[in-house]
Amino acid sequence: MTRVACQQLTPAIGDLEANRALSLAAIEEAVDAGAEVIVLPELITSGYMFESTEEAAQVAIAPDHELLREWADVAARASVVVIGGFCERGDDGLVYNSAAVADAAGVRAVYRKLHLWDNEHAIFTPGGEAPPVIETSVGRIGVVICYDLEFPELTRSVALAGAQLLAVPTNWPLFPRPDGERPSEATIAMATGRINKMAVACADRLGLERGQDWTGGATIVDPDGWVAAESRAPGMVIADLDLQSALDKRLTDRADVFGDRRPELYGAVTR
Amino acid sequence: MTRVACQQLTPAIGDLEANRALSLAAIEEAVDAGAEVIVLPELITSGYMFESTEEAAQVAIAPDHELLREWADVAARASVVVIGGFCERGDDGLVYNSAAVADAAGVRAVYRKLHLWDNEHAIFTPGGEAPPVIETSVGRIGVVICYDLEFPELTRSVALAGAQLLAVPTNWPLFPRPDGERPSEATIAMATGRINKMAVACADRLGLERGQDWTGGATIVDPDGWVAAESRAPGMVIADLDLQSALDKRLTDRADVFGDRRPELYGAVTR
């Protein structure tokens, strides 16, 4: 079993130093709880509700910035994997909504969000490369960010590339929902897990930020698509997941979620 | 608004005459309740738990069989659309797990299930053509059958072809689930609705059949992905759906579930 933690946090917009301390403390807390994989929210180094690209650029960091190196230092010392969102300043000078994967080997991958949500188009440049699937000490981990999760062609392609766990740094804006229902995004995470026989760990955020409220939808889904842990409160959600079971794509002896695909027909629907 | 009904029924295996009466009564009941679209379960004309192709062939019918013509006759008289599963004998002599769409114009389409589940491989021949999306009096309706719903590439392609409502005749075998949770398949239906801004109507079945128990998971999902009606009991579930809203793929002014796709990158994930 692999212990996976998602930290539901409230970053301080534009305050790199405060968010550095917040993220490091969250990683340490999860390490102390025995987590082997630790997922932090989208843009945890920066906050979200920027008014302009220029404002975001002031807190954007390169992938070799000391903040991410500190994440990797803890990851190395504790032998864990850390996935978290950050506001990236690219070599090209552009600003991206990105996520880093850090482990004992350092910052292993940086992923730039492909599907920008709503006003993010006014702030960030969209990524141009498919998500990473990283071989780690606990198995293969894929990474997408927030709205990316709502594109099943993308999450399927990450699963087909071998991901046993999909780590999802998110900032889910709060939308109304019927009484007793989970957030739509959590339902999508469950379906993504079940359809692909892949675990899904969503680290959401909280805290009113420049008038925007957030869902606080932290959710860990097991490879059968059931919720292993979830919380609407600040702090950590944690679960032990059988990531080995995500290597076996059979639902029954004769039903296989990958083997039963008919890709030659998926583009063929016309009317 | 469009009134959609799913009939959760228990067919008699191998008894065409009994299932003819059952399906016609179910259609009439839904018409009396004001339904404009009526979905019947998978293989409602035949039952499911066949021991061999030969046994299934004995109750298989061609698309011009009088039973389906009777569905179409009621559809014409009442100006409704009927979608139901049937055990099909093809022109080629093979046996298919199929669904028919009937309305005032007769049997408009026959779809053969693409993704056969488990032991169905020993009974049926899989379909070789993409699902239909049919222009009807209430909007465009797509059709898939049961396990097909668990392939998001397929349901996305049906949505991209313009379906406002996805009709899903199903026979969901009963699997254990955590207390308080919906069946996995219903969660997938909700996610499919939300991800595509498309309504989804699943007509499931009940009744122990040769040792197999069924979920009884009839579920109608609106184009926002919320459950509009559901039942674990025999009989009808019914809901009024805004199928016009399924034509608008925006979640916000700047977020569009179709327009935001990045298809050029979905096949690009490697590790």
Side-chain angles (χ1 to χ4, degrees):
Chain A
M1 301 293 274
T2 301
R3 188 162 293 182
V4 176
C6 293
Q7 283 283 17
Q8 190 144 269
L9 304 173
T10 301
I13 189 157
D15 189 338
L16 192 67
E17 190 53 37
N19 297 327
R20 170 184 163 277
L22 176 73
S23 61
L24 280 169
I27 294 168
E28 295 283 7
E29 182 192 30
V31 166
D32 289 346
E36 299 163 87
V37 179
I38 301 160
V39 188
L40 306 177
E42 180 181 11
L43 293 174
I44 190 57
T45 64
S46 63
Y48 182 97
M49 291 294 290
F50 295 110
E51 287 171 0
S52 66
T53 300
E54 292 66 34
E55 189 191 17
Q58 288 173 21
V59 72
I61 59 177
D64 62 358
H65 189 275
E66 63 180 353
L67 191 158
L68 300 184
R69 200 175 60 240
E70 288 175 315
W71 290 4
D73 288 346
V74 182
R77 176 170 51 73
S79 294
V80 301
V81 184
V82 175
I83 301 100
F86 72 105
C87 182
E88 182 191 359
R89 180 192 299 268
D91 275 349
D92 49 17
L94 299 171
V95 181
Y96 297 92
N97 181 339
S98 297
V101 182
D103 70 3
V107 175
R108 295 280 305 281
V110 168
Y111 165 67
R112 294 168 172 173
K113 187 175 184 179
L114 290 180
H115 302 89
L116 297 181
W117 167 260
D118 196 71
N119 196 52
E120 290 175 35
H121 289 283
I123 309 292
F124 300 104
T125 298
E129 290 183 26
V133 178
I134 305 293
E135 193 90 46
T136 75
S137 55
V138 300
R140 290 187 295 268
I141 300 178
V143 181
V144 301
I145 301 173
C146 200
Y147 187 37
D148 285 331
L149 181 66
E150 303 185 28
F151 295 83
E153 313 92 323
L154 183 73
T155 53
R156 175 69 105 190
S157 70
V158 172
L160 287 170
Q164 295 157 257
L165 169 67
L166 182 65
V168 191
T170 76
N171 283 188
W172 288 336
L174 184 61
F175 280 90
R177 58 181 188 266
D179 285 349
E181 296 288 357
R182 293 190 174 98
S184 293
E185 299 90 340
T187 298
I188 293 170
M190 293 175 70
T192 301
R194 171 52 153 65
I195 281 171
N196 295 292
K197 284 213 74 202
M198 171 175 72
V200 182
C202 304
D204 197 14
R205 62 161 292 172
L206 282 165
L208 195 70
E209 187 187 56
R210 294 181 172 175
Q212 178 65 57
D213 206 353
W214 304 95
T215 300
T219 306
I220 299 175
V221 173
D222 72 22
D224 294 322
W226 301 117
V227 170
E230 64 188 329
S231 170
R232 305 285 167 267
M236 188 164 53
V237 298
I238 195 160
D240 292 334
L241 300 178
D242 179 5
L243 297 185
Q244 283 302 111
S245 73
L247 297 172
D248 181 354
K249 300 304 182 183
R250 289 176 300 179
L251 293 172
T252 71
D253 283 350
R254 298 191 65 175
D256 184 301
V257 300
F258 283 5
D260 292 334
R261 296 175 70 238
R262 306 283 307 273
E264 71 281 9
L265 289 165
Y266 298 149
V269 180
T270 54
R271 64 176 177 93
Chain B
M1 302 292 275
T2 301
R3 188 162 293 184
V4 176
C6 293
Q7 282 283 17
Q8 189 144 269
L9 305 172
T10 300
I13 189 158
D15 190 338
L16 193 67
E17 190 52 37
N19 297 327
R20 170 184 163 277
L22 177 73
S23 60
L24 281 170
I27 294 168
E28 295 282 9
E29 181 191 33
V31 166
D32 289 347
E36 299 164 86
V37 179
I38 302 161
V39 188
L40 306 176
E42 180 181 10
L43 292 174
I44 190 58
T45 64
S46 64
Y48 182 97
M49 291 294 290
F50 295 110
E51 287 171 0
S52 67
T53 301
E54 292 66 33
E55 189 190 17
Q58 288 173 23
V59 71
I61 59 177
D64 62 359
H65 188 277
E66 63 180 354
L67 190 157
L68 300 184
R69 200 176 58 240
E70 288 175 315
W71 290 3
D73 288 347
V74 182
R77 178 171 49 74
S79 295
V80 301
V81 184
V82 175
I83 302 101
F86 71 106
C87 183
E88 181 191 1
R89 181 191 298 267
D91 275 348
D92 50 17
L94 299 172
V95 180
Y96 297 92
N97 182 338
S98 296
V101 181
D103 69 4
V107 175
R108 295 279 305 279
V110 168
Y111 165 68
R112 294 169 172 172
K113 188 176 184 178
L114 289 181
H115 301 90
L116 297 181
W117 167 260
D118 196 70
N119 195 54
E120 290 175 34
H121 289 282
I123 309 292
F124 300 104
T125 298
E129 290 182 26
V133 177
I134 305 293
E135 193 90 45
T136 75
S137 55
V138 299
R140 289 187 295 267
I141 300 179
V143 182
V144 300
I145 301 174
C146 200
Y147 187 37
D148 286 330
L149 182 66
E150 303 185 28
F151 295 83
E153 314 92 324
L154 183 72
T155 52
R156 175 70 103 190
S157 70
V158 172
L160 287 170
Q164 294 157 258
L165 169 67
L166 181 66
V168 192
T170 76
N171 283 188
W172 288 336
L174 183 62
F175 281 90
R177 59 183 188 266
D179 286 349
E181 295 289 357
R182 293 189 172 99
S184 294
E185 299 90 339
T187 298
I188 292 170
M190 293 174 71
T192 300
R194 172 51 154 67
I195 281 171
N196 295 292
K197 285 213 73 203
M198 171 175 71
V200 182
C202 304
D204 197 14
R205 63 162 291 172
L206 282 165
L208 195 70
E209 187 187 57
R210 293 182 172 174
Q212 178 65 57
D213 206 353
W214 305 95
T215 300
T219 306
I220 299 175
V221 173
D222 73 21
D224 293 322
W226 301 117
V227 171
E230 64 189 330
S231 170
R232 307 284 167 266
M236 188 164 52
V237 296
I238 196 159
D240 291 334
L241 300 178
D242 179 5
L243 297 186
Q244 284 301 111
S245 73
L247 297 172
D248 181 355
K249 299 304 181 183
R250 289 177 299 178
L251 294 171
T252 69
D253 283 349
R254 298 191 65 175
D256 184 299
V257 300
F258 283 3
D260 291 334
R261 295 175 70 238
R262 305 284 306 272
E264 70 283 7
L265 289 165
Y266 298 148
V269 180
T270 54
R271 65 176 177 92

